[in-house]
Every structure is written in C-alpha cells, then in structure tokens.
Amino acid sequence: MAESVIFVLIGAIIVSVLIVTFGWHQWIDPRWVVLAFFALLVPGLWGAFTTGPFVPSGKKRRDIMLKIANLKPTDVVYELGFGSGSLTFEASKVASRAIGYEISIPLVCWGKLVKWLTRSKAEIHFGSIWKQNYRDADVLFCYLMPNSMQRIYKEIWPTLRPGTRVITHAFRIHDKEPVAQEDHVYVYQV
C-alpha cells in the first residue's frame, strides 16, 4: 500500500505542475483525475488484501533467497508478486528467463521503468498470479501471506513439474516440510 501512496503523491505533483504550467484546469475536470488515480490503484489494493501487500524484502534477504535457490543458467524463474522487482532483476542475471507477475499498476510501471533503465532481460508482466501457467518453471519465488501460500500449494503446486523449487520468504507452506531453510527463507521441492 506504500506504493499506492507514493504513486498518488507523484501523480498529484505531476498533475499540479501541468495544471499550473499549461492551465489544464480549463480542459480537464479534476474529478476525472481523481477517478483515474483511483482506478489505477484498485488492482494493487485488491492484491494487498487478498494475496499480500508490497513489503520490500531487503538486500540481505534477497541475497539469501537467490543463494538458497541455487540458480542455474538454464533455469526459468518466476516471482509471484514481484513488488519492486529486485529479485526478478537479480535472477535474470543468472537464469535463462526471469519472469515477474504483479497486479499493482504502480509497481508494474516502476518495474518496466527499471527494466528499461537497466536494460535488464527480466520479463515484467501485469496480471494475477493465479491465472498464469508455471509448467515450465524451475524456480518459483513467493513472499505471500499464509492463506496465499496454502492456495499456492492447492492450486499451483499440482501443475508444477517434478524438481521445481519453490522458495518462500517468511511464510511457510504448512502442509509441506522444507528441504532447506535459512533465516526465514524456505525451499520446497515438487
């Protein structure tokens, strides 16, 4: 939800500058601007309440997740709810493909901007993590709430091929024992 506040503040500043500079208040009704901002925030707010809010992992935890995942150059990596995208961007430096899915429009815009600025080969997509196909995954990164971790196990786990590694941060899959763990990072293998 912090990204929503930042998005609204930046958007409000940009709109204010445009209105003052170009007199856009004569052409654009401010109510439409407020409605547009609200419409852009709804998917992220929905995701925050149903799957998990954006909470940055921090460099130390991200490095542990990457190390414990033991990425190979042939791996296909997915990050479910990529947030700031830092894990997806770092994984793309090693894996053959690193794909991040996010439902928050401000975070997707941020991810696309970072991808463009860094010339990363990471793939950033807007979309629900529940409507994607992960059958080619070698690694899934998840930092989701406990109820979402259970849903991952019930809905996505059966579609994964044997050997796929599921790396979770903070929250465990309660029906499974991790094959490895380090500092609240858990590794599960299908």
Side-chain angles (χ1 to χ4, degrees):
M1 297 219 313
E3 81 277 2
S4 299
V5 173
I6 293 168
F7 179 72
V8 168
L9 290 174
I10 292 170
I13 291 168
I14 291 170
V15 169
S16 298
V17 167
L18 291 173
I19 287 172
V20 169
T21 306
F22 300 109
W24 279 17
H25 64 282
Q26 298 168 355
W27 304 324
I28 299 175
D29 186 342
R31 292 176 288 193
W32 286 108
V33 174
V34 170
L35 183 63
F37 276 117
F38 181 73
L40 291 172
L41 296 177
V42 167
L45 293 172
W46 174 258
F49 288 111
T50 60
T51 307
F54 168 56
V55 179
S57 296
K59 183 180 178 345
K60 177 185 173 196
R61 195 60 49 92
R62 182 191 70 216
D63 291 346
I64 291 171
M65 292 178 81
L66 289 166
K67 179 185 84 167
I68 206 166
N70 193 25
L71 295 179
K72 299 171 187 65
T74 57
D75 283 343
V76 174
V77 176
Y78 288 91
E79 185 176 10
L80 310 187
F82 68 77
S84 66
S86 64
L87 189 60
T88 304
F89 291 123
E90 286 299 314
S92 74
K93 294 175 182 176
V94 178
S96 67
R97 288 182 70 202
I99 304 112
Y101 284 102
E102 179 61 59
I103 199 161
S104 171
I105 294 171
L107 290 176
V108 172
C109 292
W110 173 256
K112 297 269 187 186
L113 177 65
V114 171
K115 174 184 169 49
W116 179 73
L117 290 173
T118 62
R119 309 273 192 255
S120 173
K121 68 176 186 170
E123 299 174 36
I124 305 299
H125 298 286
F126 170 76
S128 169
I129 64 173
W130 307 111
K131 297 182 180 181
Q132 307 309 320
N133 179 347
Y134 305 108
R135 285 186 173 87
D136 64 340
D138 295 298
V139 177
L140 286 181
F141 286 114
C142 308
Y143 183 15
L144 306 171
M145 300 301 286
N147 60 332
S148 297
M149 294 308 302
Q150 288 306 105
R151 190 171 171 195
I152 293 278
Y153 184 64
K154 289 178 183 170
E155 295 178 24
I156 295 175
W157 188 277
T159 69
L160 300 174
R161 57 187 181 179
T164 301
R165 301 175 307 279
V166 178
I167 317 298
T168 70
H169 171 213
F171 303 111
R172 299 174 65 157
I173 300 173
H174 290 290
D175 296 338
K176 295 290 293 177
E177 274 302 310
V179 295
Q181 67 183 56
E182 181 180 334
D183 195 22
H184 302 289
V185 174
Y186 306 96
V187 179
Y188 301 91
Q189 193 155 13
V190 177

